[in-house]
Each structure stands twice: as structure tokens, then as C-alpha cells.
Amino acid sequence: MSLDLKNQIEKARHNLHMLVEHHEGGLGHPDVIRQSMALDELINEYNRMKRNQTRA
């Protein structure tokens, strides 16, 4: 499992939190949605890696 990927996920999560605060809780703001989608992709990649490790 990549420590770099875990760091990317944590950084993306932090950025999402900061954007929500910046936009005063506006979860529907386009910047928040974009960051949320980026975080989702990183989490999906992490889950694919974990799933492949258990199959190997």
C-alpha cells in the first residue's frame, strides 16, 4: 500500500474541509464538488489497491 496515496487522500480531505469552511458550509459550491470528486477518486484507487492485494 502506498504511503504516498494515503498522504494524497489526507491532503485532499483537508483541502475539502478547508473549501467547505471557505464557502461557509456550501456543499453545493462547484469548488467543493470538484474537490469531493477528486477525493472520491483517490479513495476508489486506494480501495482497488487493497482489493488487488487481498486477491494476490
Short mmCIF file of all heavy atoms in Angstrom, two decimals:
data_model
loop_
_atom_site.label_atom_id
_atom_site.label_comp_id
_atom_site.label_asym_id
_atom_site.label_seq_id
_atom_site.Cartn_x
_atom_site.Cartn_y
_atom_site.Cartn_z
N MET A 1 0.85 -1.18 0.00
CA MET A 1 0.00 0.00 0.00
C MET A 1 0.89 1.23 0.00
O MET A 1 1.86 1.31 0.71
CB MET A 1 -0.89 -0.06 1.22
CG MET A 1 -1.86 1.04 1.35
SD MET A 1 -3.04 0.73 2.67
CE MET A 1 -2.85 -0.98 2.99
N SER A 2 0.52 2.17 -0.81
CA SER A 2 1.37 3.33 -0.99
C SER A 2 1.14 4.39 0.08
O SER A 2 0.03 4.88 0.25
CB SER A 2 1.10 3.92 -2.38
OG SER A 2 1.77 5.14 -2.52
N LEU A 3 2.21 4.71 0.78
CA LEU A 3 2.14 5.80 1.76
C LEU A 3 1.83 7.11 1.05
O LEU A 3 1.11 7.95 1.57
CB LEU A 3 3.45 5.89 2.54
CG LEU A 3 3.51 6.92 3.65
CD1 LEU A 3 2.41 6.65 4.69
CD2 LEU A 3 4.86 6.89 4.33
N ASP A 4 2.35 7.25 -0.17
CA ASP A 4 2.10 8.46 -0.96
C ASP A 4 0.60 8.61 -1.24
O ASP A 4 0.06 9.72 -1.13
CB ASP A 4 2.88 8.38 -2.28
CG ASP A 4 2.74 9.66 -3.08
OD1 ASP A 4 2.93 10.75 -2.50
OD2 ASP A 4 2.42 9.57 -4.28
N LEU A 5 -0.08 7.52 -1.56
CA LEU A 5 -1.52 7.58 -1.82
C LEU A 5 -2.28 7.97 -0.55
O LEU A 5 -3.20 8.79 -0.59
CB LEU A 5 -2.03 6.25 -2.37
CG LEU A 5 -3.51 6.20 -2.73
CD1 LEU A 5 -3.89 7.29 -3.72
CD2 LEU A 5 -3.86 4.83 -3.29
N LYS A 6 -1.88 7.41 0.57
CA LYS A 6 -2.52 7.78 1.84
C LYS A 6 -2.32 9.27 2.12
O LYS A 6 -3.24 9.95 2.58
CB LYS A 6 -1.96 6.97 2.99
CG LYS A 6 -2.46 5.55 3.04
CD LYS A 6 -1.92 4.86 4.28
CE LYS A 6 -2.48 3.48 4.43
NZ LYS A 6 -2.01 2.83 5.64
N ASN A 7 -1.14 9.78 1.83
CA ASN A 7 -0.86 11.20 2.03
C ASN A 7 -1.71 12.06 1.09
O ASN A 7 -2.20 13.12 1.49
CB ASN A 7 0.62 11.51 1.83
CG ASN A 7 1.48 10.98 2.96
OD1 ASN A 7 1.00 10.78 4.08
ND2 ASN A 7 2.74 10.75 2.67
N GLN A 8 -1.86 11.60 -0.15
CA GLN A 8 -2.70 12.32 -1.10
C GLN A 8 -4.15 12.37 -0.64
O GLN A 8 -4.81 13.40 -0.76
CB GLN A 8 -2.63 11.66 -2.48
CG GLN A 8 -1.33 11.85 -3.19
CD GLN A 8 -1.32 11.11 -4.53
OE1 GLN A 8 -2.34 10.99 -5.19
NE2 GLN A 8 -0.16 10.60 -4.91
N ILE A 9 -4.63 11.25 -0.10
CA ILE A 9 -6.01 11.20 0.40
C ILE A 9 -6.17 12.17 1.57
O ILE A 9 -7.14 12.93 1.62
CB ILE A 9 -6.39 9.77 0.81
CG1 ILE A 9 -6.52 8.89 -0.44
CG2 ILE A 9 -7.68 9.75 1.64
CD1 ILE A 9 -6.67 7.40 -0.14
N GLU A 10 -5.23 12.16 2.48
CA GLU A 10 -5.32 13.05 3.64
C GLU A 10 -5.27 14.51 3.21
O GLU A 10 -6.02 15.35 3.73
CB GLU A 10 -4.20 12.74 4.63
CG GLU A 10 -4.25 13.55 5.89
CD GLU A 10 -5.56 13.44 6.66
OE1 GLU A 10 -6.24 12.40 6.59
OE2 GLU A 10 -5.93 14.43 7.33
N LYS A 11 -4.40 14.83 2.26
CA LYS A 11 -4.30 16.20 1.77
C LYS A 11 -5.60 16.62 1.07
O LYS A 11 -6.09 17.73 1.27
CB LYS A 11 -3.11 16.32 0.81
CG LYS A 11 -2.80 17.71 0.39
CD LYS A 11 -1.52 17.74 -0.43
CE LYS A 11 -1.06 19.15 -0.67
NZ LYS A 11 0.21 19.20 -1.38
N ALA A 12 -6.17 15.73 0.26
CA ALA A 12 -7.42 16.02 -0.43
C ALA A 12 -8.56 16.20 0.57
O ALA A 12 -9.42 17.08 0.40
CB ALA A 12 -7.75 14.92 -1.43
N ARG A 13 -8.58 15.38 1.62
CA ARG A 13 -9.61 15.50 2.65
C ARG A 13 -9.49 16.85 3.36
O ARG A 13 -10.48 17.55 3.60
CB ARG A 13 -9.48 14.36 3.66
CG ARG A 13 -10.62 14.33 4.69
CD ARG A 13 -10.23 13.58 5.93
NE ARG A 13 -9.11 14.17 6.62
CZ ARG A 13 -9.18 15.28 7.39
NH1 ARG A 13 -10.31 15.90 7.56
NH2 ARG A 13 -8.11 15.74 7.99
N HIS A 14 -8.26 17.23 3.67
CA HIS A 14 -8.03 18.52 4.33
C HIS A 14 -8.46 19.67 3.41
O HIS A 14 -9.12 20.63 3.87
CB HIS A 14 -6.55 18.65 4.69
CG HIS A 14 -6.19 19.97 5.27
ND1 HIS A 14 -6.54 20.34 6.56
CD2 HIS A 14 -5.54 21.03 4.74
CE1 HIS A 14 -6.10 21.57 6.79
NE2 HIS A 14 -5.49 22.00 5.71
N ASN A 15 -8.10 19.59 2.13
CA ASN A 15 -8.49 20.63 1.18
C ASN A 15 -10.01 20.74 1.08
O ASN A 15 -10.54 21.85 0.98
CB ASN A 15 -7.88 20.37 -0.20
CG ASN A 15 -6.39 20.59 -0.23
OD1 ASN A 15 -5.82 21.23 0.66
ND2 ASN A 15 -5.74 20.05 -1.24
N LEU A 16 -10.69 19.61 1.08
CA LEU A 16 -12.15 19.61 1.03
C LEU A 16 -12.71 20.33 2.25
O LEU A 16 -13.60 21.18 2.14
CB LEU A 16 -12.68 18.18 0.94
CG LEU A 16 -14.20 18.03 0.93
CD1 LEU A 16 -14.82 18.77 -0.25
CD2 LEU A 16 -14.57 16.55 0.89
N HIS A 17 -12.19 19.99 3.41
CA HIS A 17 -12.65 20.63 4.65
C HIS A 17 -12.44 22.15 4.59
O HIS A 17 -13.34 22.92 4.96
CB HIS A 17 -11.91 20.03 5.84
CG HIS A 17 -12.26 20.63 7.15
ND1 HIS A 17 -13.44 20.37 7.80
CD2 HIS A 17 -11.59 21.52 7.91
CE1 HIS A 17 -13.48 21.07 8.91
NE2 HIS A 17 -12.37 21.77 9.01
N MET A 18 -11.28 22.56 4.10
CA MET A 18 -10.99 23.99 4.01
C MET A 18 -11.92 24.69 3.02
O MET A 18 -12.38 25.81 3.27
CB MET A 18 -9.53 24.21 3.61
CG MET A 18 -8.52 23.69 4.63
SD MET A 18 -8.73 24.37 6.29
CE MET A 18 -8.20 26.04 6.01
N LEU A 19 -12.22 24.04 1.91
CA LEU A 19 -13.13 24.64 0.93
C LEU A 19 -14.54 24.79 1.49
O LEU A 19 -15.20 25.81 1.26
CB LEU A 19 -13.18 23.78 -0.35
CG LEU A 19 -12.02 23.96 -1.31
CD1 LEU A 19 -12.07 22.89 -2.40
CD2 LEU A 19 -12.06 25.35 -1.94
N VAL A 20 -14.99 23.79 2.22
CA VAL A 20 -16.33 23.87 2.84
C VAL A 20 -16.37 25.05 3.80
O VAL A 20 -17.32 25.84 3.80
CB VAL A 20 -16.70 22.55 3.54
CG1 VAL A 20 -17.96 22.72 4.38
CG2 VAL A 20 -16.91 21.43 2.52
N GLU A 21 -15.32 25.20 4.60
CA GLU A 21 -15.26 26.34 5.52
C GLU A 21 -15.22 27.66 4.76
O GLU A 21 -15.92 28.61 5.12
CB GLU A 21 -14.04 26.24 6.43
CG GLU A 21 -14.20 25.28 7.57
CD GLU A 21 -13.04 25.34 8.55
OE1 GLU A 21 -12.12 26.18 8.36
OE2 GLU A 21 -13.06 24.55 9.50
N HIS A 22 -14.42 27.72 3.72
CA HIS A 22 -14.27 28.94 2.93
C HIS A 22 -15.60 29.35 2.30
O HIS A 22 -15.91 30.55 2.21
CB HIS A 22 -13.21 28.75 1.84
CG HIS A 22 -13.05 29.91 0.93
ND1 HIS A 22 -12.40 31.06 1.31
CD2 HIS A 22 -13.47 30.11 -0.34
CE1 HIS A 22 -12.42 31.93 0.31
NE2 HIS A 22 -13.06 31.37 -0.70
N HIS A 23 -16.37 28.37 1.86
CA HIS A 23 -17.65 28.65 1.22
C HIS A 23 -18.81 28.56 2.22
O HIS A 23 -19.95 28.35 1.83
CB HIS A 23 -17.87 27.70 0.03
CG HIS A 23 -16.88 27.93 -1.07
ND1 HIS A 23 -16.87 29.08 -1.83
CD2 HIS A 23 -15.84 27.19 -1.51
CE1 HIS A 23 -15.89 29.02 -2.71
NE2 HIS A 23 -15.24 27.89 -2.53
N GLU A 24 -18.47 28.74 3.50
CA GLU A 24 -19.45 28.82 4.59
C GLU A 24 -20.43 27.65 4.58
O GLU A 24 -21.63 27.83 4.66
CB GLU A 24 -20.17 30.17 4.54
CG GLU A 24 -19.22 31.33 4.71
CD GLU A 24 -19.86 32.69 4.53
OE1 GLU A 24 -21.04 32.75 4.11
OE2 GLU A 24 -19.17 33.68 4.80
N GLY A 25 -19.88 26.45 4.47
CA GLY A 25 -20.71 25.25 4.52
C GLY A 25 -21.43 24.94 3.23
O GLY A 25 -22.28 24.06 3.20
N GLY A 26 -21.09 25.66 2.18
CA GLY A 26 -21.76 25.46 0.89
C GLY A 26 -21.32 24.18 0.20
O GLY A 26 -20.41 24.18 -0.62
N LEU A 27 -21.97 23.08 0.54
CA LEU A 27 -21.60 21.78 -0.03
C LEU A 27 -21.90 21.69 -1.51
O LEU A 27 -21.34 20.86 -2.22
CB LEU A 27 -22.31 20.66 0.72
CG LEU A 27 -21.97 20.52 2.20
CD1 LEU A 27 -22.80 19.41 2.83
CD2 LEU A 27 -20.49 20.27 2.40
N GLY A 28 -22.77 22.56 -2.02
CA GLY A 28 -23.12 22.53 -3.43
C GLY A 28 -22.26 23.44 -4.29
O GLY A 28 -22.45 23.50 -5.51
N HIS A 29 -21.31 24.14 -3.68
CA HIS A 29 -20.44 25.04 -4.44
C HIS A 29 -19.59 24.20 -5.41
O HIS A 29 -19.07 23.14 -5.03
CB HIS A 29 -19.55 25.84 -3.50
CG HIS A 29 -18.84 26.95 -4.19
ND1 HIS A 29 -17.70 26.74 -4.93
CD2 HIS A 29 -19.12 28.28 -4.27
CE1 HIS A 29 -17.30 27.89 -5.44
NE2 HIS A 29 -18.15 28.84 -5.05
N PRO A 30 -19.43 24.67 -6.65
CA PRO A 30 -18.66 23.89 -7.65
C PRO A 30 -17.25 23.50 -7.20
O PRO A 30 -16.79 22.40 -7.50
CB PRO A 30 -18.61 24.82 -8.86
CG PRO A 30 -19.82 25.68 -8.72
CD PRO A 30 -20.01 25.87 -7.23
N ASP A 31 -16.56 24.37 -6.47
CA ASP A 31 -15.21 24.05 -5.98
C ASP A 31 -15.25 22.89 -4.99
O ASP A 31 -14.38 22.01 -5.00
CB ASP A 31 -14.56 25.26 -5.31
CG ASP A 31 -14.22 26.36 -6.29
OD1 ASP A 31 -14.16 26.09 -7.51
OD2 ASP A 31 -14.01 27.51 -5.83
N VAL A 32 -16.26 22.89 -4.13
CA VAL A 32 -16.41 21.83 -3.14
C VAL A 32 -16.73 20.51 -3.84
O VAL A 32 -16.16 19.47 -3.52
CB VAL A 32 -17.50 22.19 -2.10
CG1 VAL A 32 -17.78 21.03 -1.16
CG2 VAL A 32 -17.08 23.43 -1.31
N ILE A 33 -17.63 20.56 -4.80
CA ILE A 33 -18.00 19.34 -5.53
C ILE A 33 -16.80 18.77 -6.28
O ILE A 33 -16.55 17.57 -6.24
CB ILE A 33 -19.17 19.63 -6.50
CG1 ILE A 33 -20.43 19.94 -5.68
CG2 ILE A 33 -19.39 18.45 -7.44
CD1 ILE A 33 -21.60 20.44 -6.50
N ARG A 34 -16.02 19.65 -6.92
CA ARG A 34 -14.82 19.18 -7.65
C ARG A 34 -13.84 18.50 -6.70
O ARG A 34 -13.29 17.45 -7.00
CB ARG A 34 -14.14 20.35 -8.35
CG ARG A 34 -14.51 20.51 -9.80
CD ARG A 34 -13.62 21.51 -10.52
NE ARG A 34 -13.72 22.85 -9.96
CZ ARG A 34 -14.66 23.72 -10.26
NH1 ARG A 34 -15.61 23.41 -11.11
NH2 ARG A 34 -14.67 24.93 -9.71
N GLN A 35 -13.60 19.12 -5.54
CA GLN A 35 -12.66 18.55 -4.58
C GLN A 35 -13.19 17.24 -4.02
O GLN A 35 -12.43 16.29 -3.81
CB GLN A 35 -12.35 19.54 -3.46
CG GLN A 35 -11.31 19.06 -2.48
CD GLN A 35 -9.97 18.81 -3.13
OE1 GLN A 35 -9.58 19.49 -4.08
NE2 GLN A 35 -9.25 17.82 -2.64
N SER A 36 -14.48 17.18 -3.78
CA SER A 36 -15.09 15.95 -3.29
C SER A 36 -14.93 14.82 -4.30
O SER A 36 -14.61 13.68 -3.94
CB SER A 36 -16.57 16.19 -2.99
OG SER A 36 -17.19 15.00 -2.56
N MET A 37 -15.10 15.14 -5.57
CA MET A 37 -14.93 14.13 -6.63
C MET A 37 -13.47 13.67 -6.71
O MET A 37 -13.21 12.48 -6.91
CB MET A 37 -15.41 14.69 -7.96
CG MET A 37 -16.92 14.87 -8.00
SD MET A 37 -17.51 15.78 -9.44
CE MET A 37 -17.03 14.69 -10.76
N ALA A 38 -12.54 14.60 -6.54
CA ALA A 38 -11.12 14.24 -6.56
C ALA A 38 -10.80 13.32 -5.39
O ALA A 38 -10.07 12.32 -5.55
CB ALA A 38 -10.25 15.50 -6.51
N LEU A 39 -11.34 13.62 -4.22
CA LEU A 39 -11.14 12.77 -3.05
C LEU A 39 -11.76 11.40 -3.29
O LEU A 39 -11.14 10.37 -2.97
CB LEU A 39 -11.74 13.42 -1.81
CG LEU A 39 -11.69 12.62 -0.51
CD1 LEU A 39 -10.26 12.22 -0.15
CD2 LEU A 39 -12.34 13.41 0.62
N ASP A 40 -12.94 11.36 -3.86
CA ASP A 40 -13.59 10.07 -4.18
C ASP A 40 -12.71 9.21 -5.07
O ASP A 40 -12.57 8.00 -4.85
CB ASP A 40 -14.93 10.30 -4.88
CG ASP A 40 -16.02 10.80 -3.96
OD1 ASP A 40 -15.83 10.74 -2.72
OD2 ASP A 40 -17.05 11.28 -4.48
N GLU A 41 -12.10 9.83 -6.08
CA GLU A 41 -11.23 9.07 -6.99
C GLU A 41 -10.03 8.48 -6.26
O GLU A 41 -9.64 7.34 -6.50
CB GLU A 41 -10.77 9.96 -8.15
CG GLU A 41 -11.84 10.19 -9.19
CD GLU A 41 -12.33 8.90 -9.83
OE1 GLU A 41 -11.50 8.03 -10.16
OE2 GLU A 41 -13.55 8.75 -9.98
N LEU A 42 -9.44 9.26 -5.38
CA LEU A 42 -8.29 8.76 -4.61
C LEU A 42 -8.71 7.60 -3.70
O LEU A 42 -8.00 6.60 -3.60
CB LEU A 42 -7.67 9.88 -3.78
CG LEU A 42 -6.92 10.95 -4.56
CD1 LEU A 42 -6.60 12.14 -3.66
CD2 LEU A 42 -5.66 10.38 -5.17
N ILE A 43 -9.86 7.73 -3.06
CA ILE A 43 -10.36 6.66 -2.20
C ILE A 43 -10.67 5.42 -3.03
O ILE A 43 -10.35 4.29 -2.61
CB ILE A 43 -11.59 7.13 -1.40
CG1 ILE A 43 -11.16 8.19 -0.38
CG2 ILE A 43 -12.28 5.95 -0.72
CD1 ILE A 43 -12.32 8.91 0.29
N ASN A 44 -11.25 5.59 -4.20
CA ASN A 44 -11.52 4.45 -5.09
C ASN A 44 -10.22 3.76 -5.49
O ASN A 44 -10.15 2.52 -5.52
CB ASN A 44 -12.29 4.90 -6.33
CG ASN A 44 -13.72 5.26 -6.03
OD1 ASN A 44 -14.28 4.85 -5.02
ND2 ASN A 44 -14.32 6.07 -6.89
N GLU A 45 -9.20 4.55 -5.81
CA GLU A 45 -7.90 3.97 -6.16
C GLU A 45 -7.33 3.17 -4.99
O GLU A 45 -6.81 2.06 -5.16
CB GLU A 45 -6.93 5.08 -6.57
CG GLU A 45 -5.60 4.57 -7.04
CD GLU A 45 -4.67 5.69 -7.50
OE1 GLU A 45 -5.15 6.81 -7.78
OE2 GLU A 45 -3.45 5.44 -7.55
N TYR A 46 -7.43 3.72 -3.79
CA TYR A 46 -6.96 3.03 -2.59
C TYR A 46 -7.71 1.71 -2.41
O TYR A 46 -7.10 0.67 -2.15
CB TYR A 46 -7.16 3.94 -1.37
CG TYR A 46 -6.84 3.28 -0.06
CD1 TYR A 46 -5.53 3.25 0.41
CD2 TYR A 46 -7.83 2.70 0.71
CE1 TYR A 46 -5.22 2.66 1.62
CE2 TYR A 46 -7.53 2.10 1.92
CZ TYR A 46 -6.23 2.08 2.37
OH TYR A 46 -5.93 1.48 3.57
N ASN A 47 -9.02 1.74 -2.57
CA ASN A 47 -9.82 0.52 -2.41
C ASN A 47 -9.47 -0.52 -3.47
O ASN A 47 -9.43 -1.72 -3.17
CB ASN A 47 -11.31 0.85 -2.46
CG ASN A 47 -11.78 1.53 -1.19
OD1 ASN A 47 -11.20 1.33 -0.13
ND2 ASN A 47 -12.82 2.34 -1.30
N ARG A 48 -9.22 -0.08 -4.70
CA ARG A 48 -8.80 -1.02 -5.76
C ARG A 48 -7.47 -1.67 -5.39
O ARG A 48 -7.29 -2.89 -5.57
CB ARG A 48 -8.69 -0.31 -7.10
CG ARG A 48 -10.02 -0.10 -7.80
CD ARG A 48 -9.82 0.38 -9.23
NE ARG A 48 -9.19 1.69 -9.31
CZ ARG A 48 -9.84 2.84 -9.29
NH1 ARG A 48 -11.16 2.88 -9.17
NH2 ARG A 48 -9.19 3.99 -9.40
N MET A 49 -6.53 -0.88 -4.87
CA MET A 49 -5.23 -1.42 -4.46
C MET A 49 -5.41 -2.46 -3.36
O MET A 49 -4.81 -3.52 -3.41
CB MET A 49 -4.30 -0.30 -3.99
CG MET A 49 -3.68 0.50 -5.08
SD MET A 49 -2.64 1.86 -4.47
CE MET A 49 -1.64 1.05 -3.26
N LYS A 50 -6.24 -2.13 -2.37
CA LYS A 50 -6.47 -3.07 -1.25
C LYS A 50 -7.11 -4.35 -1.76
O LYS A 50 -6.72 -5.44 -1.35
CB LYS A 50 -7.38 -2.42 -0.21
CG LYS A 50 -6.73 -1.39 0.65
CD LYS A 50 -5.73 -1.99 1.58
CE LYS A 50 -6.41 -2.40 2.86
NZ LYS A 50 -5.45 -2.89 3.84
N ARG A 51 -8.08 -4.23 -2.64
CA ARG A 51 -8.78 -5.40 -3.17
C ARG A 51 -7.81 -6.28 -3.97
O ARG A 51 -7.82 -7.50 -3.85
CB ARG A 51 -9.95 -4.95 -4.04
CG ARG A 51 -10.82 -6.11 -4.51
CD ARG A 51 -12.07 -5.66 -5.25
NE ARG A 51 -11.79 -4.65 -6.27
CZ ARG A 51 -12.32 -3.43 -6.28
NH1 ARG A 51 -13.14 -3.05 -5.34
NH2 ARG A 51 -12.02 -2.59 -7.25
N ASN A 52 -6.95 -5.65 -4.76
CA ASN A 52 -5.98 -6.41 -5.54
C ASN A 52 -4.95 -7.09 -4.65
O ASN A 52 -4.45 -8.17 -4.97
CB ASN A 52 -5.29 -5.52 -6.57
CG ASN A 52 -6.22 -5.14 -7.70
OD1 ASN A 52 -7.22 -5.83 -7.97
ND2 ASN A 52 -5.93 -4.04 -8.36
N GLN A 53 -4.59 -6.48 -3.54
CA GLN A 53 -3.62 -7.08 -2.62
C GLN A 53 -4.20 -8.33 -1.94
O GLN A 53 -3.49 -9.28 -1.71
CB GLN A 53 -3.20 -6.07 -1.55
CG GLN A 53 -2.24 -5.03 -2.05
CD GLN A 53 -1.88 -4.02 -0.98
OE1 GLN A 53 -2.44 -4.03 0.11
NE2 GLN A 53 -0.94 -3.14 -1.29
N THR A 54 -5.49 -8.29 -1.65
CA THR A 54 -6.09 -9.44 -0.99
C THR A 54 -6.29 -10.59 -1.96
O THR A 54 -6.33 -11.74 -1.54
CB THR A 54 -7.45 -9.08 -0.34
OG1 THR A 54 -8.35 -8.60 -1.33
CG2 THR A 54 -7.27 -8.04 0.75
N ARG A 55 -6.39 -10.30 -3.25
CA ARG A 55 -6.55 -11.35 -4.25
C ARG A 55 -5.23 -12.02 -4.61
O ARG A 55 -5.20 -13.13 -5.09
CB ARG A 55 -7.17 -10.77 -5.53
CG ARG A 55 -8.61 -10.39 -5.37
CD ARG A 55 -9.15 -9.86 -6.66
NE ARG A 55 -10.54 -9.44 -6.50
CZ ARG A 55 -11.22 -8.81 -7.40
NH1 ARG A 55 -10.66 -8.51 -8.57
NH2 ARG A 55 -12.45 -8.47 -7.18
N ALA A 56 -4.14 -11.29 -4.42
CA ALA A 56 -2.83 -11.81 -4.81
C ALA A 56 -2.31 -12.85 -3.85
O ALA A 56 -2.64 -13.00 -2.75
CB ALA A 56 -1.83 -10.66 -4.92
#
